[in-house]
Structures are given as C-alpha cells and as structure tokens.
Amino acid sequence: MRIIRTIAELREAVKAAKQDRRSVGLVPTMGAFHEGHLSLMREARAHNDLVVVSLFVNPTQFGPNEDLSRYPRDEARDAALAEGEGVDILFAPEPAEIYPDGFATTIHISGITDVLDGASRGAHHFDGVATVVAKLLGIVAPDVAYFGQKDAQQVLVVRRLVRDLNLDVQIVACPIVREPDGLAMSSRNVYLDPAARQQATALNRALEAAAEAVEQGERDGAAIEDAARRILDDAGIVPEYLELRTADDLQPVTRLDGEALLAVAAHVGAARLIDNRLLRVSA
Ligand code: AMP
C-alpha cells in the first residue's frame, strides 16, 4: 500500500490505473478506523481494481466548539488496518494541500441540510462535507465512492451533490456496522467512559423500539417517535433531535407509508453520537 500526501502524486497513480482500464473505488474517511470503515474498504476491494482510501480530518466540517482538536488520530494504526484490507493507496494530505492559501469556494446544498444534523450542528457542517467530498471526487475521479448509512443525511447530501453537479461517479451506501450490544460503531465512541458507554446502548434500543411499534401496526409519526423517546427517557438521555423523516428528502412524516428514516442525535457523556434506522412498510 502506498501512502500519498500530494494531489499531483495521487493523480499520477490514478491516471496510470485508468490508462490500464482499471476501475477505481474511493472510500473517504477521517481516520480512527473501526469495523465500519473496514466494511467500506472491503466493499470497495470486492468491486474495484484500484482502491483509494482518503484519510483527512476535514476542519471545515467542524464547528468552533466541536471536537476538531481532540478528534482521535493514529495514522500508523490506520495505515496497518487499511493495508490489511488490501487497500492500494492511502491518501493522507495535510490541510494546506486541500485548502491552500486563497481557497475561496464553498458548496452549499439547500433544503435537506436545513434539518437534523444541519440544524443541530449548523450549516457549516454540510457545507464542509459537500465541499471536501466534491474536492475528493475531483481529485481521485473514482468510478464508485463508498459511504456509510451511519451518516444517512450525509449520504443524501452526497447523492444530491453528484446529481446536481452531474459528477460521473456512482455512490454506494453501506449498512451500519454495530458493536455486539447494538451501539453503532463510531470514531467518537472512544470519548465514552464505561458508564456513558453503557448508557449509549439506549440509542439503538430506542430505534429498535420504534421499529417494533411499526411492526405492531403503529403508523402515526409522533407515536413512532414517542416509542423511541421513552427508551431514551428511561436511560436519562435528552436527544438533540429524534425525528421521523422521509427517506429521500427528509420531509416530516405524520403518517408512515413506504420508507422513512428515524434519526437521532444525543450527547452521551463526552460524546455527541448519531444513529438512525430505516423504517419500511409496504403500501
Ligand atoms: P468518518 O471517518 O467518521 O467520516 O467515516 C467515514 C465513512 O465511514 C463515512 O462514510 C461513514 O458513514 C462511514 N462509517 C462510519 N461509521 C460507520 C458504521 N458504524 N457503519 C458503517 N459505516 C460507517
């Protein structure tokens, strides 16, 4: 596996592969790899000739009071894990390589970024995500890019970016990888002390309770949210948001038919965690 730090060098490597008609898969990440990241790499490895993983803690998607400075970083460990998954190139640029002096462009996607994490974290978050993903897609020009359904709103933002800017790339969303007790894997789980780690299991249990209510025939949006909220209440968690929204454009759901996304964000101990579940009923 090659570790590449400059855009010029990366472009050379990808160009050589493309000249040989080899397909290119990209997995964008911020590092601190866990099984969720590795599942994306495996998917990319299974379907592409050249697999590029980007490792870049993107400063522009963090707010001033968020965890940019303490975000877990361990490039040597990440490189070993990526190599173990058969990744060909780890693209690990310095911030100045991505945002040189005079950088002046921001991509803003309206509508779907006004709610959930866009409302909670502020517009800068998805502006930062959309801008860095657009740059990575421009730099690598992959055939396919892989994202985790863990960040469901991010997947919608990336799909909209690709559609609206006519980018020639296929976006694949991979399922959420969970710990044995159901907690969604996240680089931020390292912030949890043992008590908070236990408390955090309530997020997935809440989503499961909502799914169970739907299975029992509940279709009222507020009642489905309440089924989840009761579990959070019992665990002493006050969610930042807990909302049922349409799966494609994040509109509020008063009555469930078809597919909807139940999304939750909450501060648990020292971590801000998100999780979600798609709820489906046949029409
Ligand atoms: P991050 O490094 O947190 O920006 O995540 C990089 C990619 O991995 C994103 O597409 C995430 O959605 C995805 N990812 C993170 N956690 C998980 C998980 N538990 N299951 C599946 N994908 C994940």
Side-chain angles (χ1 to χ4, degrees):
M1 187 184 75
R2 285 178 68 190
I3 298 182
I4 293 182
R5 304 212 182 267
T6 67
I7 292 166
E9 215 185 324
L10 184 74
R11 282 222 162 108
E12 276 307 303
V14 173
K15 200 161 105 190
K18 290 204 158 177
Q19 272 164 1
D20 296 341
R21 305 183 132 259
R22 299 170 72 207
S23 63
V24 179
L26 170 67
V27 181
T29 81
M30 300 204 302
F33 293 157
H34 50 64
E35 275 295 319
H37 297 110
L38 303 187
S39 73
L40 268 50
M41 294 178 205
R42 269 172 225 141
E43 192 64 17
R45 181 69 285 164
H47 294 104
N48 297 276
D49 299 314
L50 185 82
V51 175
V52 180
V53 171
S54 62
L55 194 180
F56 182 62
V57 183
N58 177 35
T60 64
Q61 71 190 66
F62 288 79
N65 298 317
E66 293 186 351
D67 57 345
L68 175 62
S69 61
R70 67 176 178 139
Y71 198 82
R73 293 164 213 246
D74 188 345
E75 188 187 298
R77 175 180 173 276
D78 286 348
L81 288 168
E83 186 155 34
E85 297 301 335
V87 169
D88 298 298
I89 295 174
L90 187 68
F91 177 50
E94 292 296 327
E97 181 73 2
I98 299 297
Y99 301 114
D101 283 346
F103 186 85
T105 300
T106 297
I107 295 181
H108 177 72
I109 291 161
S110 58
I112 54 171
T113 64
D114 294 342
V115 300
L116 304 180
D117 254 27
S120 262
R121 298 183 68 174
H124 68 85
H125 173 62
F126 284 117
D127 289 357
V129 169
T131 304
V132 82
V133 170
K135 283 177 67 77
L136 289 168
L137 294 176
I139 291 164
V140 181
D143 298 285
V144 191
Y146 297 84
F147 293 85
Q149 183 63 20
K150 159 89 190 324
D151 298 277
Q153 191 175 12
Q154 174 169 279
V155 171
L156 294 179
V157 164
V158 171
R159 286 196 194 283
R160 191 65 59 98
L161 169 79
V162 165
R163 195 184 77 184
D164 288 355
L165 297 186
N166 308 98
L167 304 181
D168 190 12
V169 60
Q170 183 195 345
I171 301 303
V172 170
C174 299
I176 301 176
V177 178
R178 298 181 178 281
E179 300 286 356
D181 64 6
L183 176 66
M185 290 199 182
S186 164
S187 303
R188 293 188 165 97
N189 290 350
V190 298
Y191 301 152
L192 299 169
D193 65 23
R197 171 66 186 77
Q198 173 55 34
Q199 194 184 19
T201 62
L203 264 56
N204 179 54
R205 285 190 283 113
L207 299 174
E208 279 182 345
E212 177 64 26
V214 170
E215 220 157 276
Q216 301 297 316
E218 188 59 77
R219 296 291 180 268
D220 180 72
I224 293 167
E225 288 171 358
D226 282 346
R229 198 179 308 274
R230 277 193 291 275
I231 305 291
L232 297 180
D233 278 352
D234 287 350
I237 293 174
V238 181
E240 227 171 64
Y241 60 76
L242 170 66
E243 291 175 24
L244 186 67
R245 291 190 167 264
T246 53
D248 52 352
D249 57 2
L250 303 183
Q251 295 299 307
V253 171
T254 45
R255 199 166 171 78
L256 177 63
D257 65 354
E259 192 173 50
L261 181 79
L262 183 60
V264 61
H267 286 273
V268 180
R272 179 183 183 277
L273 303 178
I274 59 171
D275 201 349
N276 71 82
R277 185 168 174 133
L278 285 168
L279 301 177
R280 258 184 225 102
V281 290
S282 39

